[in-house]
Amino acid sequence: MIVAEAVGRVLAEVGADTAFGVVGSGNFHVTNALVEHGVRFVAARHEGGAATMADAYARMSGKVGIVSVHQGPGLTNAMTGIAEAAKSRTPMIVLTGEATDVRSNFHVDQDALAAAVGAVPLRVTAAGGAVEDTLSAYRTAVRERRTVVLNLPLDVQQETVPWRGLIGESLVVAGAVDPAFSTPPAAEIDALARLLAKARRPVFIAGRGARHARAELEELAAATGALLATSAVAKGLFRGSPWDLDVSGGFATPLAAELIRDADLVVGWGCALNMWTTRHGRLIGEHTTLVQVDVDQSALGVHRPVGLGLVGDTAATARTTLHALESTAATALHALESTGGPERGYRSAEVAGRIRAEGRWQAVRYDDEGGDGRIDPRTLTIGLDELLPAERIVAVDSGNFMGYPAMFLDVPDERGFCFTQAFQSIGLGLATAIGAALARPDRLPVAALGDGGALMGIAEFETVVRLGLPMVIVVYDDEAYGAEVHHFGPHGHPLGTVTFPAADFAAIATGYGFAAVTVTGPGDLAGVAEWLKGPRDRPLLVHAKVTRERGSWWLEEAFKGH
């Protein structure tokens, strides 16, 4: 077989099950090899969409994302999605043809492109090493949680390679998906245990690196009286716990912000503790001890100075810390809480009552500003939250609107919210929703987009219809790039470059094959309720004309970091 076919076969045999891409001459054979050996191929309408779909699929499935693109422009078209994945440390492999002849109009420095956005450039250099080069790319993606751009030079792709099978390599590589969980040194575990034992108001903030560790973190929190919160990308992790504060940072409820700010110990578990999660540090009290646990040494203390940093897997570290606590007499009473023992830590009847009463954004009062043919986005999103089934998977694009679905749409667990925001690009939301939907076909996919992001990614409307996804796409339409309007408008700057004529999104979506409803007030949500009754044989576009007089306060927070 030729090298291109061998690369596809290797990836199929080590466990790749879904690939995304746009096929051209440079990736035709490798894509067909993937399909021949059982990998589902999802054709996107733009390479940027394909990369983002693969990123979201990897996040929601726990598997390695696979992207296949043409050389040169195929790769450059995909770069924003690759940058998002690389910044998020998503295990992903981008298969790209490569024109190595500098005289080719397709020639660009593909290594430099990959490295510039934080991806790892690798290459199949000869037929004899094709299998090992592909395995190396897979190992790097999985073990180092990196996005890898695997260059496939056009001339090398056509060389013949004898296929001898993977023998034991496939088992070795597949085993890399679940590496032996690492734990910090005993002295560091003991230091964390001592901090937890003396803390009066501990809070755990879990990030993407702790999404596999719910049980261990909840058990440790129960033993120490800690409240539970997450970063935005891990939203839903502690859903159902009476001590769940939901998201920390810009999307935090007033109650969550208050309780986190008053904590005497905050432990970040697989969480960057960046400006979004800590509100530029204002959620970390002046006398709060800050601890960070991460598998990556280089992540410790990058955004906030930490009193203690531990390198280790979050689940294993939490489990080991609990054992250290249980071995000391000073914490022997901690096991009483689950059976009605004395109040301790941050867990009291008063706090529990406040979380029940004030812990969701739906419980926070506001003055409805809707009218004159526009709906308040809070009223819109609360109405959707009440209508849509609980088993949902929500993807949110970037922009002035983004906090409304992030705050007011509940999700069932950590696999119910997909948030591709590490690069803060608008236009990724719809592709994110497609990748997430394919990873979790058991849930209703919901894409929340601004009008600007919807128009950027509109080519993938066809992909949603072609794949038969029963998706709900909500367009929060303020006829502008709202972030810029509300950032520059108050200072008297002209806004003609960031405001636009009205677009009939319902008509556009109908042309693609959607069902559609336009929402200008709460009564119009009846159209959504009617679609939900079934048969849901077409996706639904909700064109929401939202109020636009004021900007979102979380956006004001964001611009403080610019």
Side-chain angles (χ1 to χ4, degrees):
M1 68 178 63
I2 62 173
V3 165
E5 295 169 344
V7 171
R9 183 169 183 175
V10 168
L11 291 174
E13 293 205 5
V14 296
D17 65 358
T18 303
F20 302 83
V22 177
V23 174
S25 60
N27 65 322
F28 183 83
H29 294 298
V30 69
T31 305
N32 282 341
L34 289 166
V35 173
E36 180 185 350
H37 294 287
V39 176
R40 171 177 54 175
F41 179 70
V42 179
R45 285 299 187 173
H46 190 279
E47 289 91 348
T52 302
M53 292 174 200
D55 181 7
Y57 183 83
R59 296 178 192 227
M60 294 294 102
S61 69
K63 300 176 181 178
V64 175
I66 305 292
V67 186
S68 178
V69 296
H70 186 61
Q71 66 271 13
L75 181 61
T76 58
N77 278 347
M79 288 311 297
T80 298
I82 294 171
E84 169 65 35
K87 285 178 173 288
S88 299
R89 298 296 290 267
T90 297
M92 189 166 92
I93 298 173
V94 182
L95 301 171
T96 176
E98 183 182 29
T100 54
D101 187 340
V102 295
R103 296 169 297 179
S104 170
N105 60 312
F106 289 130
H107 175 74
V108 290
D109 189 341
Q110 297 191 174
D111 280 1
L113 283 171
V117 298
V120 179
L122 295 176
R123 178 173 288 99
V124 175
T125 57
V131 170
E132 180 52 41
D133 289 341
T134 307
L135 290 174
S136 177
Y138 192 88
R139 292 189 194 103
T140 300
V142 172
R143 293 177 178 172
E144 300 179 25
R145 298 182 302 121
R146 300 296 298 274
T147 294
V148 176
V149 174
L150 183 59
N151 292 290
L152 306 175
L154 299 181
D155 54 346
V156 175
Q157 284 194 48
Q158 298 302 314
E159 294 179 8
T160 301
V161 55
W163 181 260
R164 300 186 179 90
L166 296 185
I167 313 173
E169 289 100 328
S170 59
L171 297 177
V172 173
V173 176
V177 175
D178 295 307
F181 288 153
S182 59
T183 56
E188 295 178 3
I189 291 289
D190 290 341
L192 176 56
R194 287 194 298 271
L195 288 173
L196 288 167
K198 71 178 184 180
R200 301 290 298 273
R201 297 180 304 281
V203 170
F204 290 175
I205 303 177
R208 186 179 175 191
R211 293 201 308 162
H212 65 293
R214 172 171 180 163
E216 291 83 358
L217 291 178
E218 284 191 325
E219 191 172 3
L220 181 61
T224 57
L227 303 183
L228 300 163
T230 72
S231 66
V233 292
K235 177 180 171 70
L237 178 61
F238 300 116
R239 181 70 69 238
S241 168
W243 307 107
D244 178 23
L245 301 179
D246 202 28
V247 175
S248 172
F251 299 152
T253 62
L255 175 64
E258 173 193 331
L259 294 174
I260 295 169
R261 190 179 294 114
D262 289 345
D264 59 356
L265 174 66
V266 170
V267 184
W269 298 90
C271 174
L273 297 172
N274 59 26
M275 64 181 183
W276 313 112
T277 304
T278 67
R279 290 191 185 175
H280 299 272
R282 290 194 300 280
L283 290 188
I284 307 300
E286 181 181 357
H287 302 294
T288 302
T289 299
L290 190 60
V291 175
Q292 189 177 5
V293 181
D294 202 286
V295 293
D296 184 359
Q297 172 75 51
S298 66
L300 300 179
V302 170
H303 296 281
R304 304 296 308 169
V306 295
L308 176 64
L310 301 90
V311 178
D313 172 75
T314 50
T317 300
R319 189 184 312 114
T320 307
T321 302
L322 179 63
H323 293 160
L325 278 168
E326 291 174 341
S327 67
T328 64
T331 58
L333 293 177
H334 285 174
L336 293 175
E337 184 191 77
S338 60
T339 56
E343 297 179 351
R344 68 177 186 283
Y346 228 160
R347 300 189 174 193
S348 66
E350 177 188 1
V351 170
R354 292 193 66 192
I355 292 174
R356 285 194 301 272
E358 309 169 48
R360 297 173 70 236
W361 272 104
Q362 288 84 338
V364 178
R365 298 185 62 181
Y366 66 95
D367 294 326
D368 190 302
E369 298 176 352
D372 297 324
R374 292 193 172 272
I375 187 171
D376 189 305
R378 294 164 292 189
T379 302
L380 165 73
T381 316
I382 291 172
L384 290 170
D385 185 61
E386 293 171 349
L387 284 173
L388 299 175
E391 286 299 309
R392 63 184 72 150
I393 186 162
V394 178
V396 181
D397 208 339
S398 189
N400 180 61
F401 79 96
M402 63 189 290
Y404 302 113
M407 297 190 308
F408 290 97
L409 285 181
D410 286 340
V411 294
D413 54 33
E414 74 281 4
R415 299 291 181 184
F417 191 69
C418 197
F419 200 58
T420 47
Q421 292 290 333
F423 199 30
Q424 209 177 337
S425 171
I426 70 170
L428 305 186
L430 179 56
T432 297
I434 294 171
L438 292 173
R440 293 301 305 261
D442 56 318
R443 294 184 172 178
L444 178 72
V446 181
L449 318 174
D451 51 303
L455 288 169
M456 282 188 181
I458 204 163
E460 304 304 346
F461 275 31
E462 188 277 336
T463 306
V464 174
V465 174
R466 172 166 36 89
L467 295 177
L469 298 176
M471 183 181 291
V472 177
I473 299 176
V474 185
V475 179
Y476 291 73
D477 182 12
D478 61 1
E479 297 170 12
Y481 293 142
E484 283 64 38
V485 166
H486 297 296
H487 183 53
F488 294 107
H491 301 289
H493 296 292
L495 300 174
T497 56
V498 292
T499 55
F500 302 92
D504 190 342
F505 282 93
I508 294 170
T510 300
Y512 276 99
F514 280 70
V517 58
T518 298
V519 176
T520 61
D524 295 327
L525 290 174
V528 178
E530 191 63 29
W531 181 87
L532 287 168
K533 292 177 183 177
R536 305 185 197 176
D537 54 352
R538 293 189 294 164
L540 176 68
L541 188 287
V542 180
H543 179 197
K545 297 188 177 184
V546 297
T547 54
R548 53 189 179 179
E549 285 70 30
R550 70 180 70 225
S552 55
W553 69 267
W554 61 83
L555 191 69
E556 296 175 3
E557 289 284 326
F559 277 121
K560 291 174 183 176
H562 286 188

